[in-house]
Amino acid sequence: RSLKMSDGKYTLVNQKNMEAILTNLGFPADLAGRIYSADNVMTMTMSSSGNTYTAVVESTKEKTFDQTTTYKLGETTEIKNPVPMKVTLTKSSDNHFTSCTEMSDGKKLDTAMFFNNYGATFTLSIQGTGICGLEIWQRMEPTVDGYYVFDSHKDAEEVWLAEMPESAHDAVRKMIRDKDISSRMRFCGNQVWSEANYGGHAKTSTMTLDKEFKDVDEAFGTESSGVITKVGPGSYSMVIKNLKTGNTTNITLDYSAEGVLEKGVNSGKEFEIFYRREADIEGTR
């Protein structure tokens, strides 16, 4: 399972010239005004699986544009409501997408979408008219408290083994093979609390954002120091130094309704781990 930068829930916080975009595409002027009125809150939830992306758009008052649409990269998707159109989605990078929307009368709308930790910016232009628009979407804070269970990884085992004494290698391999890794997380202000269970061992830790912490893992014979920083809604970065090997690991943690995706780099080697969110009897979900 791999979360992408575009995954998440957003709310529209600003726009420019979007009413002109809609009216030029054939929508009634009064409808365009209602869609982008200050009292109509619009949200967009993005999710992905492989080359397939799903967008759920909802509004608090004007429901005309409420819809769920699934796109596949490079393929054309036909949309019937609120008006017929065809949309082709392409990907330039993990945080940059473009789409071309063709209306029933042949008019075409180009949209460039840029995603980051804090939200997304959409720039729109109608071909051959010089009419342009802008939407700014703010990423909403996901629930980060919860219970997470090891689901899958890519190249993590090699990195972990390199950072641990050889005497722990068999136990680490078994832990990964059995998926015997879970954690319960709590975030409160600048405090981060975790209760980890791994390979038959348990450990409770407390960290403060932007403040160095030290960790001694007697079970696997490691010692480290690190710093955790919040870099966006539901997004954190960590820098961890192994005090025995001197190696540094840079990690990003991105939380969503499905779980948390950990991406890291250690000595030039990249790895990924996905922990799925599960029901927590202690009430964090």
Side-chain angles (χ1 to χ4, degrees), residues 1 6 9-10 31 35 38 50 59 62 71 75 117 154 156 166-167 171 173 200 202 209 220 226 232 262 264 277 279:
R1 176 70 166 88
S6 57
K9 188 171 185 179
Y10 307 80
L31 173 60
I35 288 291
S59 298
E62 182 51 61
Y71 308 90
E75 297 185 5
N117 288 334
K154 181 179 179 181
E166 189 172 351
S167 58
R173 291 190 182 99
L209 294 179
F220 289 150
E262 175 181 336
R277 185 189 295 272

Side-chain angles (χ1 to χ4, degrees), residues 18 29 40 44 47 68 81-82 93 98 120 123 130 140-141 147 151 158 162 188-189 220 230 246 256 264:
M18 286 305 301
N40 183 51
M44 174 181 65
S47 59
T68 298
N81 295 309
S93 67
T98 58
T123 57
M140 300 174 71
E141 189 80 45
Y147 178 61
D151 183 89
E158 179 184 354
C188 183
F220 289 150
K230 184 173 182 178
S256 72

